[in-house]
């Protein structure tokens, strides 16, 4: 079963706007990871944040982690049409990865 | 929602034996399935893309003869780890591509002694 739950399930924005996706999980974790899936392709690893970290940046990506609320957010700044994809969070509560259902992001040019 | 199963969930085998892992989409047909591998505390690594009725597409660095993939039907893909060695011990996850997104199996923990 999937532990993480992303919201919203779908998000549509204009190019240049910021996109924020959230992920909630149920049990304690070692780390939380965000992945991107382009249409019909496999997952691409975006960023990993450890349980003792609160925020992490990678280019236009910003990830926050709140272990007290068991939630994480992924912010994509200055979005581009190429950012259109599904985004998944994954956790490893028992060293085996668990995925959420994903957020489908559409960035309109 | 769509469900993907994997079997077995855990397997322990001796070095040199082969292990087959099944990935099934239970309530939808999937022409494309993906196989991933996760090392402890590391990110997921895409191993191959499994296409029904055709040969799998392997990622760079993944040995085709070591990790045999067969996508025999629209609901079943299998990954066979041939002549397994301790370094093959890992967590293997499959996912099946649905209409709008992909759905993940629960994973298979392989331990090679």
């Amino acid at each position: 079963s999937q532990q993480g739950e992303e919201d919203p399930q779908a998000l549509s924005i204009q190019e240049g706007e910021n996109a924020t996706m959230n992920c909630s999980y149920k049990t304690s974790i070692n780390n939380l990871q965000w992945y991107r899936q382009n249409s019909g392709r496999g997952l691409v690893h975006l960023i990993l944040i450890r349980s003792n970290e609160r925020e992490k940046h990678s280019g236009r990506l910003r990830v926050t982690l709140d272990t007290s609320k068991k939630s994480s957010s992924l912010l994509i700044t200055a979005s581009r049409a190429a950012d259109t994809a599904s985004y998944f969070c994954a956790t490893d509560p028992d060293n085996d990865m668990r995925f959420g259902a994903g957020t489908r992001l559409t960035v309109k040019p | 929602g769509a469900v993907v199963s994997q079997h077995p969930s855990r397997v322990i085998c001796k070095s040199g034996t082969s292990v087959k892992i099944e990935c099934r989409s239970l309530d939808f047909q999937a022409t494309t399935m993906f196989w991933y591998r996760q090392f402890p505390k590391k990110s997921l690594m895409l191993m191959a893309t499994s296409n029904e009725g055709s040969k799998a597409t392997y990622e760079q660095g993944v040995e085709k003869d070591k990790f045999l993939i067969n996508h025999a039907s629209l609901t079943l893909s299998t990954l066979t780890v041939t002549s397994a060695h301790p370094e093959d011990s890992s967590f293997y996850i499959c996912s099946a591509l649905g209409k709008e997104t992909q759905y993940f199996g629960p994973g298979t923990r392989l331990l090679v002694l």
Side-chain angles (χ1 to χ4, degrees), chain A residues 33 35 43 95-98, chain B residues 36 38 43-44 97 106 109:
Chain A
Q33 302 180 40
Y35 291 84
L43 291 177
N95 292 319
D96 292 345
M97 296 192 84
R98 297 286 179 260
Chain B
Y36 299 90
Q38 185 216 356
S43 63
L44 213 57
L97 199 58
R109 169 65 65 184

Side-chain angles (χ1 to χ4, degrees), chain A residues 25-55:
Chain A
Y25 56 93
K26 298 175 182 176
T27 64
S28 60
I29 59 173
N30 297 312
N31 61 61
L32 186 144
Q33 302 180 40
W34 284 91
Y35 291 84
R36 183 182 72 209
Q37 182 219 353
N38 293 326
S39 179
R41 307 292 295 275
L43 291 177
V44 172
H45 180 250
L46 294 177
I47 199 164
L48 180 153
I49 185 166
R50 303 193 188 286
S51 59
N52 61 353
E53 296 176 311
R54 292 297 168 258
E55 187 171 313

Side-chain angles (χ1 to χ4, degrees), chain B residues 8 14 31 34 45 52 58 68 71 88 95 98 104 109 111:
Chain B
K14 292 182 179 180
T31 55
F34 301 100
M45 181 189 79
E52 188 270 336
Y58 289 82
L68 299 178
H71 197 148
D88 298 324
S95 69
F104 293 92
R109 169 65 65 184
L111 177 61

Side-chain angles (χ1 to χ4, degrees), chain A residues 80-96:
Chain A
R80 305 166 182 168
D83 294 328
T84 295
S86 290
Y87 292 83
F88 295 85
C89 70
T91 58
D92 60 343
D94 52 2
N95 292 319
D96 292 345

Side-chain angles (χ1 to χ4, degrees), chain B residues 61-112:
Chain B
V62 179
E63 298 177 58
K64 301 178 183 181
D65 296 330
K66 174 74 173 176
F67 300 99
L68 299 178
I69 291 173
N70 183 19
H71 197 148
S73 76
L74 288 171
T75 58
L76 173 64
S77 175
T78 60
L79 168 67
T80 301
V81 183
T82 62
S83 187
H85 291 282
E87 58 265 31
D88 298 324
S89 298
S90 194
F91 188 62
Y92 295 86
I93 301 179
C94 73
S95 69
L97 199 58
K99 287 183 179 179
E100 296 178 326
T101 186
Q102 62 179 312
Y103 301 92
F104 293 92
T108 296
R109 169 65 65 184
L110 170 63
L111 177 61
V112 185

